[in-house]
Amino acid sequence: MSKPDLNLLFTLNALLSEGSVAAAARRLQLSPSAMSRSLARLRQVTGDPLLVRAGRGLVPTPRALELNQHIARLVDEAEAALRPAAALDLATLDRIFTLQTRDGFVENFGPALVARVRREAPGVRLRFVPKLTRSSQTLRDGSVDLVTGVVDAEAGPELRTRLLFEDRLIAVLREGHPLANVPLTVARYAAGEHILTGRSGELKGRADEALAALGLERDIIAIVDGFSAAIALARGSDLIATVPSRYTQNLRQGTVTLPLPLTPLTMKISMIWHPRMDGDRAHAWLRDCLREVCHAEDVTIGSGPR
């Protein structure tokens, strides 16, 4: 059995990306006739027309769409393997990194991370964008460099992860709340009125699961999609917000923080990235910065105003 011509991977990637024989030829610095011959070979090898004419352009077949992301990843990895590793000069590095985080991360870790990056690489800028879904598509398409959060079971198996810190859920109340100066028992916690922080469609949280195991249920009065909104509601009412401690340290000023009267509900917060960035020295430097900034934080959970 003859070995496949791996150059056809680059040809197919260009054709699928450009959707045009002429544009793909320019991209690979080939003549249109040479690109047409390569397309004919690809059709023969795959047994599929791959691109078919629609008016003046070409549209991909279902088989081509199926191959698209797979081929792009192979080409990215091949180019990374053959690219010479240049020495990293942080003093002259000019780059924008995009980090996707949940509500509260920037408020707590952003200032230290920006200061660290500014000190070591003054030409680097950080763009923080919200994490609204569990999808890993932003990492796959390259629009985001790093994601922070709990590694979800739905995350792609090819993604890289590294633990940043462990967190646990706590109760947040306003100063002067009826429960602020008495022991927060399971019964008192369950009897209170609560705020649920969850994504769209979620009506229960981990605290509800823990209470259900004890035969209890809490009364959820409001549902919000961010920790800052939950804490703001708790600060101005008698509602109880249940939020992660380290994530919300700087959001909880002027509130009372209490440990949950339940088996500790912990979570592991990690940074997540696409494997194509493994060999990128600037990206590796940013990962080290983020890990060290998060490890430098040490939050003690106790009762009383914060």
Side-chain angles (χ1 to χ4, degrees), residues 68-86:
N68 193 14
Q69 285 192 350
H70 183 57
I71 294 297
R73 178 176 59 82
L74 289 175
V75 169
D76 282 346
E77 291 177 354
E79 289 178 343
L82 298 174
R83 186 182 301 125

Side-chain angles (χ1 to χ4, degrees), residues 257-291:
T257 297
L258 298 174
L260 287 185
L262 299 165
T263 299
L265 302 178
T266 61
M267 63 197 71
K268 294 182 178 181
I269 306 300
S270 300
M271 56 179 165
I272 311 163
W273 68 96
H274 195 275
R276 68 170 173 269
M277 305 308 293
D278 281 347
D280 187 308
R281 294 187 178 185
H283 195 278
W285 161 78
L286 179 64
R287 297 196 301 267
D288 286 341
C289 289
L290 182 58
R291 181 180 59 84

Side-chain angles (χ1 to χ4, degrees), residues 3-166:
K3 293 182 178 180
D5 182 357
L6 296 183
N7 287 321
L8 291 177
L9 291 176
F10 294 89
T11 302
L12 180 55
N13 183 58
L15 285 165
L16 295 178
S17 299
E18 301 293 344
S20 162
V21 170
R26 288 194 296 271
R27 176 170 169 172
L28 297 183
Q29 298 182 341
L30 298 173
S31 67
S33 59
M35 182 58 67
S36 294
R37 289 194 296 272
S38 294
L39 177 56
R41 291 181 62 198
L42 281 164
R43 286 167 171 166
Q44 181 181 12
V45 169
T46 62
D48 188 272
L50 298 175
L51 293 165
V52 296
R53 187 158 297 283
R56 294 186 176 182
L58 297 174
V59 294
T61 65
R63 173 63 172 157
L65 292 174
E66 179 185 346
L67 288 170
N68 193 14
Q69 285 192 350
H70 183 57
I71 294 297
R73 178 176 59 82
L74 289 175
V75 169
D76 282 346
E77 291 177 354
E79 289 178 343
L82 298 174
R83 186 182 301 125
L88 179 63
D89 184 359
L90 293 177
T92 60
L93 183 62
D94 183 8
R95 190 160 166 182
I96 299 176
F97 288 103
T98 301
L99 289 78
Q100 194 171 42
T101 66
R102 281 208 66 181
D103 182 33
F105 192 90
V106 176
E107 292 86 341
N108 285 284
F109 303 102
L113 181 61
V114 168
R116 167 75 178 266
V117 168
R118 182 68 177 168
R119 183 171 65 252
E120 296 185 12
V124 167
R125 287 150 290 173
L126 301 179
R127 177 187 289 120
F128 296 96
V129 297
K131 184 180 180 183
L132 303 177
T133 70
R134 294 187 174 94
S135 173
S136 303
Q137 183 57 36
T138 53
L139 288 172
R140 293 193 180 97
D141 64 24
S143 59
V144 165
D145 295 291
L146 273 176
V147 171
T148 65
V150 176
V151 179
D152 195 88
E154 300 175 10
E158 80 279 11
L159 298 179
R160 304 284 196 262
T161 66
R162 187 168 186 180
L163 180 67
L164 290 174
F165 59 88
E166 293 194 23

